[in-house]
């Protein structure tokens, strides 16, 4: 199954590289890499398509992994960075930074992911604080409910901030909220990659503990799992992955919801099976959504977040009905 999903990701990447307002045939990709094509093909591939597709791949992986972690922590199949408030927290922080901090576009490459992480971690910290039980620690069900409440409140705050902003600032923030891929250049890869390089080894180490956290707390404690410590560390990883991704590709929901579910349907619910299949699926969905958004209209790109929402909203309603 890993082979099939990896093949789908490769097909999505090839489509993302070759399709667009100025098409580059798949047969031209290898010659262009070897320097045998014209300046036009080289510019399209190396300056536009390659960095964009790599950013989308890393962001899709980050959002899917974040969703998988949150679903384990909350024991709720409907958990997602966007649904429980992390995206909104990162978004408010990024909006405040963009509106009130005088910085040039080059510095945004590294500052926005850091600002997004700060906003996401503050939001997650507040959610945990309001749901923390002194005797039983973090309560998964309360965590989800409080997250939904924070997401709604922060979305309202963002609307207030945007309503008083300049027109050019409103345009950028509106596109960001719609999931418009604004950070599609080589430096933004470095803004995403370190989080994955930290998260993946940690999650490999914690796979068995995550299986226990998802099932039975009493058994987990008996086997030596430090529930509060592991939950806190996993929550930090989930926030870092989601916040860094949305700070670069915009506020994209549902990737963290549907990718883990599809992975579980394909290979089962053990973390050793589905955890690292989820990011492959998430990356394929996001790259595919962006490609569709770029080729539907030749004159204007539809934000990837809108395409993902069109795919993800019906799936969310299906899961909601199934779990009700």
């Amino acid at each position: 199954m890993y082979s099939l999903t990896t093949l789908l990701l490769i097909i999505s990447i090839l489509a993302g590289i070759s399709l667009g307002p100025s098409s580059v045939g798949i047969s031209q990709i290898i010659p262009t890499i070897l320097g045998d094509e014209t300046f036009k093909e080289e510019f399209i591939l190396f300056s536009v398509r390659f960095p964009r597709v790599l950013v989308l791949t890393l962001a899709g992986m980050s959002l899917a992994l974040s969703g998988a972690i949150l679903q384990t922590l909350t024991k709720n199949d409907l958990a997602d960075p966007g649904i429980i408030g992390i995206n909104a927290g990162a978004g408010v922080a990024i909006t405040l930074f963009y509106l009130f901090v005088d910085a040039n576009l080059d510095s945004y490459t590294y500052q926005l992911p850091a600002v997004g992480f700060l906003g996401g971690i503050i939001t997650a910290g507040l959610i945990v604080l309001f749901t923390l039980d002194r005797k039983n620690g973090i309560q998964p069900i309360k965590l989800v409910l409080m997250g939904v409440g924070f997401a709604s409140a922060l979305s309202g705050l963002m609307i207030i901030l945007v309503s008083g902003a300049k027109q050019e600032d409103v345009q950028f923030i509106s596109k960001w909220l719609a999931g418009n891929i604004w950070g599609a250049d080589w430096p933004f890869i470095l803004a995403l990659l370190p989080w994955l390089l930290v998260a993946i080894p940690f999650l490999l180490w914690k796979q068995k503990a995550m299986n226990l956290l998802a099932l039975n707390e009493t058994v987990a404690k008996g086997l030596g799992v430090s529930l509060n410590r592991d939950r806190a560390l996993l929550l930090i990883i989930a926030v870092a992955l989601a916040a860094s991704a949305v700070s670069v590709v915009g506020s994209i929901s549902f990737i963290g919801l549907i990718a883990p579910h599809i992975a579980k349907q394909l290979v089962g619910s053990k973390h050793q099976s589905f955890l690292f299949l989820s990011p492959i699926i998430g990356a394929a969905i996001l790259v595919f959504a962006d490609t569709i958004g770029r080729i539907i209209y030749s004159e204007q790109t539809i934000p990837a977040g809108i395409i993902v929402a069109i795919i993800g909203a019906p799936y969310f309603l299906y899961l909601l009905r199934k779990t009700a």
Side-chain angles (χ1 to χ4, degrees):
M1 197 54 66
Y2 272 84
S3 300
L4 179 59
T5 52
T6 301
L7 177 61
L8 290 174
L9 175 58
I10 292 171
I11 292 172
S12 298
I13 288 173
L14 289 175
I17 290 171
S18 60
L19 298 178
S22 298
S23 297
V24 177
I26 293 176
S27 61
Q28 296 175 286
I29 294 175
I30 298 299
T32 303
I33 293 174
L34 297 176
D36 294 336
E37 291 294 332
T38 65
F39 173 79
K40 176 186 175 182
E41 281 79 17
E42 288 184 3
F43 177 81
I44 291 172
L45 289 182
F46 290 108
S47 298
V48 181
R49 301 279 171 78
F50 274 143
R52 186 182 187 91
V53 168
L54 287 174
V55 164
L56 289 165
T57 300
L58 294 175
M61 288 181 171
S62 297
L63 291 169
L65 272 178
S66 179
I69 295 169
L70 291 171
Q71 287 173 20
T72 297
L73 289 177
T74 60
K75 298 182 182 178
N76 190 317
D77 290 340
L78 300 179
D80 168 86
I83 294 171
I84 69 168
I86 293 174
N87 285 11
V92 168
I94 289 169
T95 300
L96 288 170
F97 180 82
Y98 185 80
L99 291 178
F100 300 111
V101 176
D102 186 17
N104 58 59
L105 189 60
D106 292 335
S107 64
Y108 285 167
T109 304
Y110 306 103
Q111 290 176 352
L112 282 189
V115 170
F117 171 73
L118 183 62
I121 202 68
I122 290 173
T123 303
L126 290 172
I127 292 170
V128 169
L129 182 64
F130 281 104
T131 58
L132 189 64
D133 187 285
R134 290 185 178 181
K135 293 183 178 179
N136 301 314
I138 299 172
Q139 300 298 294
I141 296 175
K142 290 182 180 179
L143 191 71
V144 174
L145 294 175
M146 190 63 66
V148 172
F150 265 82
S152 299
L154 290 170
S155 296
L157 175 59
M158 193 176 299
I159 291 172
I160 293 172
L161 290 171
V162 171
S163 64
K166 297 177 182 178
Q167 183 63 35
E168 57 268 22
D169 294 336
V170 171
Q171 289 179 353
F172 174 84
I173 295 169
S174 299
K175 289 180 180 179
W176 185 90
L177 288 171
N180 189 60
I181 313 301
W182 76 275
D185 208 348
W186 292 107
F188 291 94
I189 295 170
L190 298 178
L192 291 169
L193 188 58
W195 302 106
L196 283 168
L197 293 178
V198 170
I200 289 174
F202 179 79
L203 295 175
L204 282 169
W205 177 41
K206 289 295 182 182
Q207 286 178 103
K208 292 182 179 180
M210 291 177 74
N211 284 333
L212 296 172
L213 286 172
L215 295 175
N216 190 294
E217 293 183 3
T218 304
V219 174
K221 285 182 179 179
L223 293 174
V225 176
S226 178
L227 293 180
N228 288 334
R229 185 194 66 186
D230 284 351
R231 280 174 175 166
L233 290 173
L234 288 167
L235 184 60
I236 290 170
I237 292 292
V239 171
L241 289 170
S244 62
V246 300
S247 66
V248 173
V249 300
S251 184
I252 293 180
S253 297
F254 296 115
I255 293 286
L257 173 71
I258 62 180
H261 273 280
I262 294 173
K264 290 175 187 177
Q265 292 291 325
L266 292 175
V267 296
S269 59
K270 287 186 177 181
H271 288 80
Q272 291 91 334
S273 301
F274 86 89
L275 188 60
F276 294 102
L277 184 64
S278 301
I280 299 173
I281 295 171
I285 292 172
L286 188 54
V287 174
F288 173 77
D290 180 69
T291 303
I292 292 298
R294 287 190 290 110
I295 64 176
I296 289 179
Y297 293 113
S298 58
E299 296 181 358
Q300 187 176 3
T301 298
I302 299 176
I306 294 176
I307 304 295
V308 172
I310 291 171
I311 299 170
Y315 195 83
F316 174 74
L317 293 174
Y318 160 75
L319 289 176
L320 191 63
R321 181 177 177 83
K322 186 178 178 181
T323 55

